[in-house]
Structure formats: structure tokens, C-alpha cells
Amino acid sequence: MRNKDTLKQEIMDAFHFRHATKEFDPDKQIPDEDFRFILETGRLSPSSFGFEPWRFVVVQNPELREKIKQASWGAFSKLPAASHFVIFLARTKVDTIYNSDYLQDHLKNVSHFPEEILEKFLSKVEEFQRDDFKLLDGERPLYDWASKQTYVALANMMTAAAQIGIDSCPIEGFNIEKMNQLLDEEGLLEDGHFGISVMAAFGYRTQDPRPKTRRPFDDVVKWV
Ligand SMILES: Cc1cc2nc3c(=O)[nH]c(=O)nc-3n(C[C@H](O)[C@H](O)[C@H](O)COP(=O)(O)O)c2cc1C
């Protein structure tokens, strides 16, 4: 068993190793089992109420990669070279509203909620969505709420990748409407059940990153 200090140092090294990689080596492929490991850290990520309102679409198809490259200024320099490219989809209101079929099925068959507390739990979810977070006006708030959850998975996947020496770049550089149109044409949004949240490229760097810049610790952490 490694001691805690060694472990902490390894984790911190991974945080320094990770950077938003601008250019990937086209000749280096992430081994399948390593990428599966990265995806698994996404799958195991926490989500609000445990709803897992996401899908991770791994885009290896060259034609679709080219379309994404043309449609996304943030992905342009990363494609086609990145070894793996992931689109994080968020479930839309039709699936995440408290009385949706998706939630009924998820709570019964995935979370294994006992039947007798299901209705009570869902009325708590309704209260949360209606009053606490005000998510029920229009389509966008619930979509954005699901989208927030996908960023937890994104962060875990990038950190896990860094811990095994794999580079990544998160990508928000695209027009949501245009990208949703493209993904819909590709049949990836399942008739409006999903919308794009964020994307990420994974692979291996071609050059050393710029030194990290961050605001000072005491500027971003406040103890009260
Ligand atoms: C949600 C998110 C979206 C981002 N979108 C892009 C992008 O589209 N293209 C890009 O090159 N970098 C993108 N970045 C990278 C950031 O610019 C980068 O993480 C930040 O400047 C800090 O640098 P570092 O990650 O190298 O430490 C994104 C980062 C995050 C967290």
C-alpha cells in the first residue's frame, strides 16, 4: 500500500500534467482498455439525485469528425488528430422532468427504489425542480441542469486520463443550435431526448504546454 503522501503527490502531478491540449499527435492511439477505463470514470460519476442524465458519444467515424471539426471552432485544431473524441449529451426536459417516463424507469430499474417511496421521492423532486432551483419554466433550465451534471463526468474523465498519462481538451467552442442540428441529422439525439452539452478530445500532446497560470490560492478559497 502506497502511503498517503506518495498518493497525494501522484494526484497533484496529474493535475499539473493535465492541460487543455491544443494539438494531438495523429500517430498515437489510446489503447482500448485505457479509453474504456476513462469512460468508466465518467459512468461512475455522481449526478444530482443520481439521475445520470447523460450519454457519452465516442466519435471515431472520420466523416462525422470532419463535420464536427467544420462546425466547431473550439475543436478545429484537435481534429482529426485526437485519438478519441467524445460528445457529452445531456437529457432534455422530456426525460428529466419529475414525472417523466425516463425517471420512472431509472428509479425503478437502475436505482432500485422501493415502490412505496417512489411517489414521495418524485414529489420531493418536483418541489426541488419547481421551487428550489426553478427549473420548470421553459425547456432550457432542465437541459442546462442536466448539462451541469455532464461536467462532473467530464472533469473526472480528464483527471483519470491525466493520471494514466493521457492528454485531453474540453471543448465548448461551438454553437449549440448548429451542433444540435448536426447531431440530430446524424440521428444521435433520439428525437429530442438529448441535446449537446460539451465535448472533449483525448490523445497525446505534440508539444509541452505553457506554464500553468492560476489565481492565488487565497484569492479563490475563502474560509469563514
Ligand atoms: C468547459 C470548458 C470548455 C472549454 N472549451 C475549450 C475549447 O473549445 N477549445 C479550447 O482549445 N480550449 C477549451 N477549454 C480550455 C480552457 O481554455 C483551459 O482549460 C483554461 O484556459 C485553463 O488552462 P489549462 O486547462 O491548460 O490549465 C475549455 C475548458 C473548459 C473547462
Side-chain angles (χ1 to χ4, degrees):
M1 177 78 176
R2 283 169 301 174
N3 75 32
K4 198 186 351 173
D5 287 340
T6 314
L7 201 50
K8 278 160 68 183
Q9 190 55 53
E10 281 175 17
I11 293 168
M12 205 42 80
D13 288 347
F15 273 82
H16 283 280
F17 171 87
R18 191 216 56 78
H19 67 289
T21 304
K22 300 297 171 197
E23 209 183 274
F24 291 89
D25 186 338
D27 299 323
K28 279 173 134 177
Q29 279 293 307
I30 301 171
D32 286 347
E33 71 268 24
D34 287 356
F35 203 67
R36 217 187 145 81
F37 159 81
I38 292 168
L39 288 167
E40 185 65 355
T41 68
R43 189 179 76 93
L44 291 175
S45 295
S47 54
S48 188
F49 293 101
F51 288 164
E52 303 172 53
W54 49 49
R55 178 160 293 164
F56 314 131
V57 181
V58 187
V59 184
Q60 301 306 82
N61 173 304
E63 289 89 44
L64 181 53
R65 279 180 163 224
E66 184 57 31
K67 287 182 194 168
I68 293 167
K69 177 183 166 86
Q70 297 308 329
S72 163
W73 52 267
F76 194 81
S77 71
K78 289 94 189 171
L79 288 172
S83 165
H84 288 68
F85 193 85
V86 181
I87 301 174
F88 292 75
L89 299 181
R91 287 193 181 269
T92 57
K93 183 172 187 173
V94 69
D95 283 348
T96 49
I97 192 162
Y98 62 91
N99 56 2
S100 68
D101 291 345
Y102 169 78
L103 289 189
Q104 278 281 343
D105 176 72
H106 182 81
L107 291 169
K108 276 187 201 149
N109 300 317
V110 180
S111 312
H112 303 301
F113 255 64
E115 194 77 48
E116 61 277 14
I117 59 164
L118 194 68
E119 286 316 308
K120 213 166 165 215
F121 178 74
L122 283 173
S123 65
K124 184 75 209 153
V125 173
E126 177 181 3
E127 192 185 306
F128 167 81
Q129 292 188 342
R130 190 182 305 285
D131 304 327
D132 294 342
F133 264 48
K134 307 221 174 345
L135 300 172
L136 296 184
D137 294 335
E139 299 294 310
R140 190 67 193 245
L142 272 174
Y143 174 28
D144 285 342
W145 181 58
S147 179
K148 280 190 203 173
Q149 320 299 322
T150 71
Y151 282 67
V152 180
L154 166 71
N156 284 337
M157 286 164 65
M158 292 193 300
T159 301
Q163 287 186 292
I164 58 169
I166 292 170
D167 289 309
S168 62
C169 185
I171 296 165
E172 263 185 350
F174 56 84
N175 177 297
I176 291 188
E177 242 172 77
K178 285 191 188 140
M179 196 59 81
N180 272 340
Q181 198 181 330
L182 168 63
L183 298 178
D184 194 31
E185 283 162 16
E186 298 290 325
L188 294 169
L189 301 185
E190 301 202 358
D191 290 329
H193 285 264
F194 289 95
I196 191 160
S197 174
V198 64
M199 311 194 287
F202 293 86
Y204 299 94
R205 68 190 72 183
T206 54
Q207 54 204 13
D208 287 338
R210 294 187 300 142
K212 257 209 194 313
T213 59
R214 287 294 188 270
R215 300 184 74 87
F217 192 91
D218 289 337
D219 202 14
V220 297
V221 179
K222 191 174 162 89
W223 297 79
V224 289

